[in-house]
Amino acid sequence: MIPLADRIAGAPISWGVDGSPGWGHLLSSDRVLEEMAHIGLSATELGPDGFLGDTPEEARERASSVGLSVVGGFVPLLLHLAETRRQAAYASRAIKTLSACGSQVLVLGAVLDRRGYDRSASLSDAHWETFDRNLKRLVAQAGEEGLEVALHQHWGMAVEKPQHLERVLANTDVSLCLDTGHMFLAGIDPLEVARSVPDRVAHVHLKDVEDSAASRVRAGEVPFREAVKSGLFQPLGAGDVDIRGVVTALENAGYQGWYVIEQDKVLLQSPPLGRGPVEDASISVAFLRDLARLVEDPSETNGSPTN
């Protein structure tokens, strides 16, 4: 059994790095990786296409140069539409890069389009049929390289709302990336998912969410990206998601995968060294390390995380 404290990773999006057009100012991969290592993380996700390098070897070497492994990567694909040559090439490139880096998980984002996450929609029956075929093909393709596909329920994607997730769980056997923040935002209880289908969870993204801000997004009052700019996502322990309950439920069920600290950010400019995203990430790391001690020894209640 690998201790929880040894399964904590970071994601470039916590440093404002996202592949959506016009997302914001993007920090260099060198700075992001160095700051991850500085706060004690041992692993990272891949980030957008090309963020860690143009070849699988470059990505592996860039991460390992600061002592980090690559433990997954968010791969956005249009599963409900017929596969294009461009999409097939991107999927193949991501799979080969993750495999070369020693990752075991491909985190699949079933996007609705390439413009971002502000639009919600429900797929037609025909689109769901295409979705299922493309998903099955991707799972087989990734499996040939030793990767497990973990489908990411996500705001503004094909699998967003409770009924979308229920359909995926009932009609496919794909594994899940349990993202506490996106589930909470969409009205899905991440603790219930952790308790009811822990065997389907292959990867975890830990986000905390400010509930009043989430309510405005749900009501359509504020677009997702604008809410992110305004602090929708908070350091772990500072929001309203039951992070402790989710982690405890998964650990009790025997989960041995990674917990990836994610706090989606939009940066307007590069912050001074040692400031900005790394400060919030440090708070989240400390929270999760404290939680790891409590999970391993429940009698140790002093300094217990309240979230």
Side-chain angles (χ1 to χ4, degrees), residues 80-139:
H80 66 292
L81 301 177
E83 187 176 57
T84 64
R85 183 177 300 177
R86 180 180 179 184
Q87 173 159 283
Y90 169 48
S92 178
R93 187 164 59 250
I95 287 169
K96 290 185 181 301
T97 299
L98 288 167
S99 179
C101 289
S103 176
Q104 297 179 327
V105 176
L106 181 153
V107 179
L108 171 63
V111 294
L112 293 168
D113 56 45
R114 299 291 187 185
R115 292 173 291 181
Y117 317 121
D118 287 338
R119 182 174 72 91
S120 297
S122 291
L123 302 185
S124 66
D125 289 343
H127 280 150
W128 276 119
E129 290 176 5
T130 303
F131 178 101
D132 291 342
R133 286 196 302 271
N134 285 335
L135 176 60
K136 187 175 181 178
R137 182 170 63 246
L138 181 69
V139 168

Side-chain angles (χ1 to χ4, degrees), residues 55-90:
T55 67
E57 294 74 22
E58 187 177 352
R60 182 182 64 244
E61 291 171 6
R62 181 164 289 168
S64 64
S65 69
V66 292
L68 299 178
S69 57
V70 177
V71 295
F74 181 76
V75 181
L77 295 171
L78 289 155
L79 291 188
H80 66 292
L81 301 177
E83 187 176 57
T84 64
R85 183 177 300 177
R86 180 180 179 184
Q87 173 159 283
Y90 169 48

Side-chain angles (χ1 to χ4, degrees), residues 148-153 165 168-169 174-178 183 193 197 200-204:
E148 182 175 10
V149 172
L151 179 67
H152 191 320
Q153 171 276 337
L165 181 60
V168 166
L169 288 172
V174 70
S175 298
L176 299 179
C177 171
L178 190 162
M183 287 187 176
V193 174
V197 289
R200 297 287 290 268
V201 178
H203 202 62
V204 177

Side-chain angles (χ1 to χ4, degrees), residues 174-259:
V174 70
S175 298
L176 299 179
C177 171
L178 190 162
D179 186 301
T180 57
H182 280 286
M183 287 187 176
F184 184 88
L185 184 60
I188 300 168
D189 182 356
L191 178 55
E192 175 59 26
V193 174
R195 286 173 172 168
S196 61
V197 289
D199 56 312
R200 297 287 290 268
V201 178
H203 202 62
V204 177
H205 287 173
L206 291 179
K207 287 185 179 73
D208 215 340
V209 184
E210 204 280 306
D211 187 35
S212 62
S215 296
R216 292 191 290 273
V217 176
R218 293 188 203 110
E221 298 171 4
V222 181
F224 176 79
R225 188 180 304 193
E226 290 303 315
V228 172
K229 289 180 182 178
S230 301
L232 171 67
F233 298 116
Q234 295 290 310
L236 297 184
D240 296 294
V241 181
D242 187 2
I243 302 294
R244 179 179 180 179
V246 170
V247 172
T248 301
L250 288 173
E251 290 298 294
N252 287 344
Y255 176 73
Q256 280 284 285
W258 287 87
Y259 293 97

